[in-house]
Amino acid sequence: MQLSIVTIFAATICCALYVNCTEETPEAKRETVPKDGEDLPLLNRHMQKRHYGRSTSGVVYTRWGHNSCPGGRTLVYTGSMAGSFHSHEGGGSNYLCLPEVPQYDNSVYAGKQLYRGYVYHVEYRGRSGPLNSKRYNDLPCAVCLQEQRNNYIMYPARKDCPSGWTREYYGYLMSSKYNQATSEYVCVDVSGGILTGTSSAVNGASIYPVESRCSRGSGLPCAPYVDGYELTCAVCSK
């Protein structure tokens, strides 16, 4: 009995002095519930650092125009680049990397419907300049995991990366045509990979090189930017 009282007394003093006398179990860590406004993945990474002194973070990015990942990166999946029809006013504005084999649910309604969003293959369509030899071919894509990094950026108008960052790949800045359906800007790999058997023109989504339009006294000054030059890009991690 005396030993139990001493033990309880010591534990009470320990906690009163803000000393962590207990160790949370892995089960308790997994059951952590975020507070309002708190991100669960971030919380889990914090708990991993707290208990084990390390985290298992990484970054995931899409390598457009290629079907593999740079050396040392993990390939999550490969697929084909997809987007909205080039002349449609609605639909999504971002590009997708669709996996090679889709998986449908049991609740599909067979047949083409009007009250839907549509997604199409993406073709190279530039008539001149970078990757013009790939015209009418569809683009592959690869989703890659870099486990040794915590952040990544797409660095437009540069082939290198900012100081302290590592280049994952580089290529050409591309988007939809200026007078077609709006799309995002993406960095297409310099190799300009293609999907086999897609060399004929089939209307769908289109992608073109992006060139700068500079003017004196503007935020895109004509020096160092050159009016009409196609822009490069790089995907960088840190």
Side-chain angles (χ1 to χ4, degrees):
M1 178 64 74
Q2 289 181 346
L3 181 59
S4 299
I5 294 174
V6 171
T7 302
I8 295 172
F9 180 76
T12 303
I13 295 299
C14 185
C15 293
L17 293 175
Y18 302 99
V19 177
N20 184 14
C21 303
T22 60
E23 181 71 17
E24 289 184 26
T25 64
E27 287 74 16
K29 177 175 71 66
R30 285 196 296 268
E31 292 173 359
T32 300
V33 178
K35 299 176 182 178
D36 290 343
E38 195 167 29
D39 181 65
L40 183 56
L42 286 175
L43 184 61
N44 283 339
R45 289 199 293 270
H46 167 73
M47 295 301 291
Q48 288 173 342
K49 292 178 181 178
R50 175 182 170 187
H51 288 284
Y52 303 109
R54 64 182 178 84
S55 68
T56 55
S57 58
V59 294
V60 176
Y61 62 86
T62 302
R63 189 180 189 185
W64 303 109
H66 211 290
N67 60 4
S68 65
C69 297
R73 283 55 168 175
T74 301
L75 177 66
V76 180
Y77 72 90
T78 59
S80 56
M81 191 173 181
S84 293
F85 196 82
H86 65 87
S87 62
H88 288 178
E89 297 180 354
S93 60
N94 60 310
Y95 291 113
L96 300 173
C97 185
L98 292 184
E100 295 174 348
V101 180
Q103 187 177 40
Y104 295 102
D105 194 33
N106 294 329
S107 60
V108 295
Y109 189 89
K112 296 179 180 180
Q113 307 297 316
L114 291 177
Y115 298 97
R116 301 288 190 271
Y118 303 140
V119 66
Y120 297 83
H121 63 283
V122 177
E123 294 179 349
Y124 294 105
R125 278 302 183 107
R127 295 188 177 187
S128 60
L131 306 181
N132 69 299
S133 63
K134 315 289 183 174
R135 191 180 184 203
Y136 299 136
N137 284 279
D138 292 2
L139 284 77
C141 52
V143 176
C144 307
L145 169 64
Q146 165 57 285
E147 298 183 77
Q148 306 303 318
R149 302 287 186 267
N150 295 312
N151 301 282
Y152 86 94
I153 58 171
M154 192 271 279
Y155 196 27
R158 299 284 301 191
K159 295 190 294 183
D160 57 3
C161 291
S163 177
W165 292 72
T166 299
R167 191 174 74 181
E168 298 292 319
Y169 74 92
Y170 82 98
Y172 301 105
L173 192 65
M174 303 188 80
S175 72
S176 61
K177 192 177 176 183
Y178 76 95
N179 60 352
Q180 294 182 350
T182 300
S183 77
E184 63 181 325
Y185 295 102
V186 294
C187 189
V188 176
D189 194 89
V190 65
S191 65
I194 63 173
L195 291 174
T196 304
T198 61
S199 59
S200 59
V202 180
N203 281 333
S206 305
I207 198 165
Y208 296 79
V210 173
E211 61 182 42
S212 55
R213 283 285 186 263
C214 65
S215 59
R216 299 188 183 281
S218 73
L220 289 180
C222 295
Y225 284 89
V226 179
D227 200 44
Y229 272 29
E230 291 82 12
L231 295 171
T232 57
C233 56
V235 170
C236 311
S237 65
K238 182 176 181 180

